[in-house]
Coordinates of all heavy atoms in Angstrom, one line a residue:
L117 N 7.6 4.3 -1.6 CA 7.8 5.8 -2.2 C 9.2 6.1 -1.9 O 9.8 6.1 -0.7 CB 6.9 6.7 -1.4 CG 6.9 8.2 -1.9 CD1 6.3 8.3 -3.4 CD2 6.0 9.1 -1.0
P118 N 10.0 6.6 -2.9 CA 11.3 7.2 -2.8 C 11.4 8.2 -1.6 O 10.6 9.1 -1.6 CB 11.7 7.7 -4.1 CG 10.8 7.0 -5.1 CD 9.6 6.8 -4.4
E119 N 12.3 8.0 -0.7 CA 12.6 8.9 0.3 C 12.6 10.4 -0.1 O 12.1 11.3 0.6 CB 13.7 8.6 1.2 CG 13.5 7.2 1.8 CD 14.8 6.8 2.8 OE1 15.4 7.7 3.3 OE2 14.9 5.7 2.9
L120 N 13.4 10.8 -1.1 CA 13.7 12.1 -1.6 C 12.3 12.7 -2.1 O 12.0 13.9 -1.7 CB 14.6 12.1 -2.8 CG 15.1 13.5 -3.3 CD1 15.7 14.4 -2.2 CD2 16.0 13.4 -4.5
A121 N 11.5 11.8 -2.8 CA 10.1 12.5 -3.2 C 9.4 12.6 -2.0 O 8.5 13.6 -2.0 CB 9.6 11.3 -4.2
A122 N 9.3 11.7 -1.0 CA 8.4 11.8 0.1 C 8.9 13.2 0.9 O 8.0 13.8 1.4 CB 8.6 10.6 1.0
G123 N 10.1 13.4 1.0 CA 10.6 14.4 1.7 C 10.1 15.8 1.0 O 9.8 16.8 1.6
A124 N 10.2 15.8 -0.4 CA 9.7 17.0 -1.0 C 8.2 17.2 -0.8 O 7.9 18.3 -0.7 CB 10.1 16.8 -2.6
V125 N 7.4 16.2 -0.9 CA 6.0 16.2 -0.6 C 5.7 16.8 0.7 O 4.9 17.7 1.0 CB 5.3 15.0 -1.0 CG1 3.8 15.1 -0.5 CG2 5.4 14.5 -2.4
G126 N 6.4 16.1 1.7 CA 6.2 16.5 3.1 C 6.5 17.9 3.4 O 5.9 18.6 4.1
G127 N 7.7 18.2 3.0 CA 8.2 19.5 3.2 C 7.5 20.7 2.6 O 7.2 21.7 3.3
S128 N 7.1 20.5 1.3 CA 6.4 21.6 0.7 C 5.0 21.7 1.2 O 4.4 22.8 1.3 CB 6.3 21.2 -0.9 OG 5.8 20.0 -1.1
T129 N 4.3 20.6 1.5 CA 3.0 20.6 2.2 C 3.0 21.3 3.5 O 2.2 22.2 3.9 CB 2.4 19.2 2.3 OG1 2.5 18.6 1.0 CG2 0.9 19.3 2.8
A130 N 4.2 21.0 4.3 CA 4.3 21.7 5.6 C 4.5 23.2 5.5 O 4.0 23.9 6.3 CB 5.5 20.9 6.4
L131 N 5.3 23.6 4.4 CA 5.5 25.0 4.3 C 4.2 25.7 3.9 O 3.9 26.8 4.4 CB 6.5 25.2 3.1 CG 6.9 26.6 2.8 CD1 7.4 27.4 4.0 CD2 7.8 26.7 1.6

Side-chain angles (χ1 to χ4, degrees):
L117 181 69
E119 294 180 31
L120 185 60
V125 171
S128 58
T129 306
L131 177 60

